[in-house]
Amino acid sequence: MSSLVLIADDEGEIVEILDAYMRREGFRTATASDGQQALDLHASLKPDMVLLDVRMPNRDGWDVLGELRRRGETPVIMVTALDQDLDKLQALRIGADDYIVKPFKPVEVVARVHAILRRTVGAPDAKVLRVGPVEIQLENYLAAVITPDGRRRLDLTLTEFKMLAHMARIPLRVFTRAEILDACFPNQDVQERTIDSHFSHLRRKLEAAGAVGLVANVRGVGYRLEPDACP
């Protein structure tokens, strides 16, 4: 399942922008408009990451950050208009993982979220990835489809395994053929149309094992994994 990002900010426009960019990258999202709501959602949803504004009603960001640190180690990126060095130092002292100053580029926020989650929840370092009914064991190069009827191991080629594992790290994100070539065929002279052949074989094996609809072709762009499409 993709990582859940909690966006806590009382500026509706900021929330909408961050929410759209996060979802486009394949993250699940939840939003809060004040500090207390952020803490309540954190307790109930257990998000993988919190994007936290400093100036919010009903407990400001500093107070929320302190409470989050007392609860555990959920990664937090402070997103604020305060750009003084003392504010940044305070954020890091209390326990923020990163600090982004408004106005910001949404793509930069996304990049920092990816970077921190790689270090914390391990998205590409995790030993086991799960997307829909598919379980991928990275160290053993094994993949299986798990359904109510049982567990069916997938007989994948190394290339098919690499493509599936690469996309499973960010479900729902659309990967272009060029991106897949760079990630799965480094330093190899492979044409983009070859990707379509590999995906055709991969999709057939997944569907035969019960993961129907997992691999989706986005016309004119590339491919993505759709966990919710699987029965």
Side-chain angles (χ1 to χ4, degrees):
M1 184 177 292
S2 57
S3 297
L4 174 62
V5 178
L6 172 59
I7 304 167
D9 197 307
D10 63 339
E11 294 185 55
E13 184 177 355
I14 295 293
V15 171
E16 288 182 8
I17 291 172
L18 289 175
D19 182 75
Y21 271 81
M22 290 297 140
R23 288 183 176 274
R24 191 174 72 178
E25 285 293 306
F27 293 110
R28 294 174 296 132
T29 61
T31 63
S33 58
D34 64 61
Q36 187 57 55
Q37 185 183 23
L39 288 172
D40 293 342
L41 288 175
H42 176 267
S44 61
L45 299 178
K46 302 293 190 296
D48 299 291
M49 163 73 69
V50 178
L51 299 178
L52 181 61
D53 185 28
V54 170
R55 293 177 175 173
M56 290 190 298
N58 298 328
R59 306 185 70 169
D60 65 20
W62 302 128
D63 193 13
V64 173
L65 177 59
E67 177 61 27
L68 292 179
R69 281 297 158 261
R70 286 188 287 272
R71 293 180 181 182
E73 298 299 324
T74 304
V76 177
I77 297 179
M78 304 301 291
V79 183
T80 177
L82 303 175
D83 62 354
Q84 299 299 313
D85 288 340
L86 286 177
D87 296 311
K88 298 177 184 179
L89 289 174
Q90 181 177 354
L92 298 175
R93 179 181 59 79
I94 297 175
D97 295 86
D98 205 346
Y99 190 104
I100 295 178
V101 177
K102 300 176 183 177
F104 53 79
K105 294 181 179 179
V107 291
E108 179 185 356
V109 180
V110 171
R112 296 197 188 191
V113 168
H114 277 305
I116 291 174
L117 288 178
R118 281 197 294 268
R119 297 196 302 267
T120 54
V121 300
D125 299 322
K127 296 180 180 179
V128 178
L129 299 175
R130 293 181 177 84
V131 54
V134 177
E135 177 184 274
I136 304 164
Q137 299 180 28
L138 298 179
E139 289 188 338
N140 300 326
Y141 289 89
L142 295 176
V145 174
I146 303 172
T147 68
D149 297 326
R151 179 189 186 94
R152 299 188 65 179
R153 181 171 168 178
L154 292 165
D155 184 18
L156 303 180
T157 66
L158 180 58
T159 296
E160 291 163 357
F161 181 89
K162 286 181 177 179
M163 294 193 308
L164 179 62
H166 181 66
M167 296 177 65
R169 292 184 173 106
I170 315 177
L172 298 178
R173 177 186 169 186
V174 179
F175 290 85
T176 67
R177 291 171 177 81
E179 288 175 323
I180 296 168
L181 282 175
D182 289 341
C184 303
F185 301 86
N187 304 316
Q188 296 184 43
D189 185 16
V190 178
Q191 296 183 355
E192 288 191 7
R193 65 173 177 268
T194 303
I195 294 294
D196 297 324
S197 177
H198 286 300
F199 270 112
S200 177
H201 293 305
L202 175 59
R203 182 187 289 112
R204 186 163 58 247
K205 292 177 181 180
L206 286 165
E207 292 183 349
V212 178
L214 180 67
V215 176
N217 184 356
V218 181
R219 188 179 299 275
V221 183
Y223 294 87
R224 70 175 167 216
L225 300 184
E226 296 190 350
D228 295 337
C230 300

PDB file of all heavy atoms in Angstrom, residues 53-70:
ATOM      1  N   ASP A  53       2.413  22.913   8.906  1.00  0.00           N
ATOM      2  CA  ASP A  53       2.560  24.368   8.934  1.00  0.00           C
ATOM      3  C   ASP A  53       2.829  24.815  10.373  1.00  0.00           C
ATOM      4  O   ASP A  53       2.402  24.170  11.332  1.00  0.00           O
ATOM      5  CB  ASP A  53       1.282  25.022   8.407  1.00  0.00           C
ATOM      6  CG  ASP A  53       1.408  26.531   8.289  1.00  0.00           C
ATOM      7  OD1 ASP A  53       2.539  27.018   8.084  1.00  0.00           O
ATOM      8  OD2 ASP A  53       0.388  27.219   8.423  1.00  0.00           O
ATOM      9  N   VAL A  54       3.524  25.927  10.535  1.00  0.00           N
ATOM     10  CA  VAL A  54       3.823  26.427  11.873  1.00  0.00           C
ATOM     11  C   VAL A  54       2.651  27.230  12.426  1.00  0.00           C
ATOM     12  O   VAL A  54       2.186  26.997  13.550  1.00  0.00           O
ATOM     13  CB  VAL A  54       5.096  27.289  11.864  1.00  0.00           C
ATOM     14  CG1 VAL A  54       5.262  28.000  13.203  1.00  0.00           C
ATOM     15  CG2 VAL A  54       6.321  26.428  11.570  1.00  0.00           C
ATOM     16  N   ARG A  55       2.147  28.177  11.661  1.00  0.00           N
ATOM     17  CA  ARG A  55       1.092  29.073  12.146  1.00  0.00           C
ATOM     18  C   ARG A  55      -0.274  28.488  11.843  1.00  0.00           C
ATOM     19  O   ARG A  55      -0.822  28.649  10.749  1.00  0.00           O
ATOM     20  CB  ARG A  55       1.254  30.446  11.511  1.00  0.00           C
ATOM     21  CG  ARG A  55       2.520  31.175  11.971  1.00  0.00           C
ATOM     22  CD  ARG A  55       2.681  32.500  11.267  1.00  0.00           C
ATOM     23  NE  ARG A  55       3.818  33.250  11.783  1.00  0.00           N
ATOM     24  CZ  ARG A  55       4.270  34.377  11.253  1.00  0.00           C
ATOM     25  NH1 ARG A  55       3.668  34.894  10.179  1.00  0.00           N
ATOM     26  NH2 ARG A  55       5.304  35.008  11.781  1.00  0.00           N
ATOM     27  N   MET A  56      -0.833  27.784  12.827  1.00  0.00           N
ATOM     28  CA  MET A  56      -2.167  27.195  12.698  1.00  0.00           C
ATOM     29  C   MET A  56      -2.971  27.468  13.962  1.00  0.00           C
ATOM     30  O   MET A  56      -2.401  27.596  15.048  1.00  0.00           O
ATOM     31  CB  MET A  56      -2.073  25.677  12.488  1.00  0.00           C
ATOM     32  CG  MET A  56      -1.536  25.256  11.147  1.00  0.00           C
ATOM     33  SD  MET A  56      -1.762  23.461  10.905  1.00  0.00           S
ATOM     34  CE  MET A  56      -0.763  22.829  12.263  1.00  0.00           C
ATOM     35  N   PRO A  57      -4.298  27.539  13.843  1.00  0.00           N
ATOM     36  CA  PRO A  57      -5.133  27.701  15.036  1.00  0.00           C
ATOM     37  C   PRO A  57      -5.220  26.396  15.826  1.00  0.00           C
ATOM     38  O   PRO A  57      -4.888  25.324  15.316  1.00  0.00           O
ATOM     39  CB  PRO A  57      -6.497  28.085  14.447  1.00  0.00           C
ATOM     40  CG  PRO A  57      -6.499  27.483  13.077  1.00  0.00           C
ATOM     41  CD  PRO A  57      -5.075  27.562  12.595  1.00  0.00           C
ATOM     42  N   ASN A  58      -5.704  26.509  17.065  1.00  0.00           N
ATOM     43  CA  ASN A  58      -5.920  25.331  17.920  1.00  0.00           C
ATOM     44  C   ASN A  58      -4.664  24.465  18.029  1.00  0.00           C
ATOM     45  O   ASN A  58      -4.682  23.305  17.665  1.00  0.00           O
ATOM     46  CB  ASN A  58      -7.094  24.491  17.395  1.00  0.00           C
ATOM     47  CG  ASN A  58      -8.393  25.255  17.405  1.00  0.00           C
ATOM     48  OD1 ASN A  58      -8.619  26.117  18.257  1.00  0.00           O
ATOM     49  ND2 ASN A  58      -9.257  24.975  16.439  1.00  0.00           N
ATOM     50  N   ARG A  59      -3.599  25.054  18.547  1.00  0.00           N
ATOM     51  CA  ARG A  59      -2.280  24.450  18.719  1.00  0.00           C
ATOM     52  C   ARG A  59      -1.447  24.684  17.459  1.00  0.00           C
ATOM     53  O   ARG A  59      -1.760  24.180  16.382  1.00  0.00           O
ATOM     54  CB  ARG A  59      -2.344  22.959  19.053  1.00  0.00           C
ATOM     55  CG  ARG A  59      -3.223  22.664  20.265  1.00  0.00           C
ATOM     56  CD  ARG A  59      -3.193  21.222  20.672  1.00  0.00           C
ATOM     57  NE  ARG A  59      -1.910  20.827  21.237  1.00  0.00           N
ATOM     58  CZ  ARG A  59      -1.714  19.654  21.872  1.00  0.00           C
ATOM     59  NH1 ARG A  59      -2.732  18.798  22.016  1.00  0.00           N
ATOM     60  NH2 ARG A  59      -0.532  19.346  22.360  1.00  0.00           N
ATOM     61  N   ASP A  60      -0.399  25.474  17.618  1.00  0.00           N
ATOM     62  CA  ASP A  60       0.440  25.796  16.465  1.00  0.00           C
ATOM     63  C   ASP A  60       1.371  24.629  16.118  1.00  0.00           C
ATOM     64  O   ASP A  60       1.405  23.592  16.800  1.00  0.00           O
ATOM     65  CB  ASP A  60       1.227  27.085  16.691  1.00  0.00           C
ATOM     66  CG  ASP A  60       2.245  26.967  17.824  1.00  0.00           C
ATOM     67  OD1 ASP A  60       2.632  25.828  18.195  1.00  0.00           O
ATOM     68  OD2 ASP A  60       2.664  28.012  18.357  1.00  0.00           O
ATOM     69  N   GLY A  61       2.129  24.829  15.032  1.00  0.00           N
ATOM     70  CA  GLY A  61       2.980  23.754  14.545  1.00  0.00           C
ATOM     71  C   GLY A  61       4.044  23.307  15.519  1.00  0.00           C
ATOM     72  O   GLY A  61       4.389  22.121  15.586  1.00  0.00           O
ATOM     73  N   TRP A  62       4.605  24.248  16.299  1.00  0.00           N
ATOM     74  CA  TRP A  62       5.626  23.875  17.279  1.00  0.00           C
ATOM     75  C   TRP A  62       5.039  22.938  18.322  1.00  0.00           C
ATOM     76  O   TRP A  62       5.661  21.941  18.702  1.00  0.00           O
ATOM     77  CB  TRP A  62       6.188  25.114  17.969  1.00  0.00           C
ATOM     78  CG  TRP A  62       6.797  26.142  17.076  1.00  0.00           C
ATOM     79  CD1 TRP A  62       6.511  27.470  17.044  1.00  0.00           C
ATOM     80  CD2 TRP A  62       7.807  25.943  16.072  1.00  0.00           C
ATOM     81  NE1 TRP A  62       7.259  28.111  16.088  1.00  0.00           N
ATOM     82  CE2 TRP A  62       8.065  27.194  15.485  1.00  0.00           C
ATOM     83  CE3 TRP A  62       8.495  24.837  15.603  1.00  0.00           C
ATOM     84  CZ2 TRP A  62       8.996  27.373  14.470  1.00  0.00           C
ATOM     85  CZ3 TRP A  62       9.426  24.994  14.576  1.00  0.00           C
ATOM     86  CH2 TRP A  62       9.666  26.254  14.032  1.00  0.00           C
ATOM     87  N   ASP A  63       3.838  23.264  18.774  1.00  0.00           N
ATOM     88  CA  ASP A  63       3.172  22.437  19.778  1.00  0.00           C
ATOM     89  C   ASP A  63       2.853  21.046  19.209  1.00  0.00           C
ATOM     90  O   ASP A  63       3.056  20.015  19.867  1.00  0.00           O
ATOM     91  CB  ASP A  63       1.888  23.128  20.232  1.00  0.00           C
ATOM     92  CG  ASP A  63       1.294  22.491  21.491  1.00  0.00           C
ATOM     93  OD1 ASP A  63       1.998  21.695  22.136  1.00  0.00           O
ATOM     94  OD2 ASP A  63       0.135  22.795  21.818  1.00  0.00           O
ATOM     95  N   VAL A  64       2.356  21.039  17.972  1.00  0.00           N
ATOM     96  CA  VAL A  64       2.031  19.761  17.323  1.00  0.00           C
ATOM     97  C   VAL A  64       3.293  18.923  17.135  1.00  0.00           C
ATOM     98  O   VAL A  64       3.304  17.720  17.416  1.00  0.00           O
ATOM     99  CB  VAL A  64       1.344  20.001  15.964  1.00  0.00           C
ATOM    100  CG1 VAL A  64       1.167  18.675  15.210  1.00  0.00           C
ATOM    101  CG2 VAL A  64      -0.006  20.676  16.165  1.00  0.00           C
ATOM    102  N   LEU A  65       4.368  19.555  16.671  1.00  0.00           N
ATOM    103  CA  LEU A  65       5.624  18.832  16.459  1.00  0.00           C
ATOM    104  C   LEU A  65       6.126  18.216  17.763  1.00  0.00           C
ATOM    105  O   LEU A  65       6.552  17.053  17.791  1.00  0.00           O
ATOM    106  CB  LEU A  65       6.678  19.772  15.877  1.00  0.00           C
ATOM    107  CG  LEU A  65       8.081  19.174  15.655  1.00  0.00           C
ATOM    108  CD1 LEU A  65       8.017  17.978  14.714  1.00  0.00           C
ATOM    109  CD2 LEU A  65       9.027  20.244  15.114  1.00  0.00           C
ATOM    110  N   GLY A  66       6.057  18.996  18.840  1.00  0.00           N
ATOM    111  CA  GLY A  66       6.485  18.464  20.134  1.00  0.00           C
ATOM    112  C   GLY A  66       5.676  17.251  20.553  1.00  0.00           C
ATOM    113  O   GLY A  66       6.226  16.255  21.046  1.00  0.00           O
ATOM    114  N   GLU A  67       4.360  17.308  20.338  1.00  0.00           N
ATOM    115  CA  GLU A  67       3.501  16.183  20.702  1.00  0.00           C
ATOM    116  C   GLU A  67       3.779  14.972  19.814  1.00  0.00           C
ATOM    117  O   GLU A  67       3.803  13.829  20.289  1.00  0.00           O
ATOM    118  CB  GLU A  67       2.035  16.589  20.580  1.00  0.00           C
ATOM    119  CG  GLU A  67       1.040  15.464  20.859  1.00  0.00           C
ATOM    120  CD  GLU A  67       1.165  14.903  22.265  1.00  0.00           C
ATOM    121  OE1 GLU A  67       1.598  15.631  23.186  1.00  0.00           O
ATOM    122  OE2 GLU A  67       0.831  13.706  22.444  1.00  0.00           O
ATOM    123  N   LEU A  68       4.017  15.207  18.539  1.00  0.00           N
ATOM    124  CA  LEU A  68       4.335  14.097  17.636  1.00  0.00           C
ATOM    125  C   LEU A  68       5.619  13.399  18.060  1.00  0.00           C
ATOM    126  O   LEU A  68       5.734  12.169  17.982  1.00  0.00           O
ATOM    127  CB  LEU A  68       4.457  14.601  16.195  1.00  0.00           C
ATOM    128  CG  LEU A  68       3.169  15.099  15.530  1.00  0.00           C
ATOM    129  CD1 LEU A  68       3.450  15.579  14.120  1.00  0.00           C
ATOM    130  CD2 LEU A  68       2.110  14.008  15.516  1.00  0.00           C
ATOM    131  N   ARG A  69       6.594  14.200  18.531  1.00  0.00           N
ATOM    132  CA  ARG A  69       7.844  13.589  18.960  1.00  0.00           C
ATOM    133  C   ARG A  69       7.671  12.806  20.258  1.00  0.00           C
ATOM    134  O   ARG A  69       8.342  11.820  20.490  1.00  0.00           O
ATOM    135  CB  ARG A  69       8.930  14.662  19.110  1.00  0.00           C
ATOM    136  CG  ARG A  69       9.517  15.072  17.786  1.00  0.00           C
ATOM    137  CD  ARG A  69      10.226  13.870  17.117  1.00  0.00           C
ATOM    138  NE  ARG A  69      10.354  14.050  15.669  1.00  0.00           N
ATOM    139  CZ  ARG A  69       9.541  13.506  14.786  1.00  0.00           C
ATOM    140  NH1 ARG A  69       8.523  12.757  15.174  1.00  0.00           N
ATOM    141  NH2 ARG A  69       9.726  13.677  13.499  1.00  0.00           N
ATOM    142  N   ARG A  70       6.756  13.248  21.107  1.00  0.00           N
ATOM    143  CA  ARG A  70       6.488  12.469  22.315  1.00  0.00           C
ATOM    144  C   ARG A  70       5.790  11.150  21.978  1.00  0.00           C
ATOM    145  O   ARG A  70       5.962  10.149  22.682  1.00  0.00           O
ATOM    146  CB  ARG A  70       5.628  13.296  23.291  1.00  0.00           C
ATOM    147  CG  ARG A  70       6.401  14.404  23.994  1.00  0.00           C
ATOM    148  CD  ARG A  70       5.592  15.069  25.075  1.00  0.00           C
ATOM    149  NE  ARG A  70       4.539  15.928  24.531  1.00  0.00           N
ATOM    150  CZ  ARG A  70       4.721  17.203  24.209  1.00  0.00           C
ATOM    151  NH1 ARG A  70       5.921  17.767  24.361  1.00  0.00           N
ATOM    152  NH2 ARG A  70       3.713  17.936  23.743  1.00  0.00           N
TER     153      ARG A  70
END
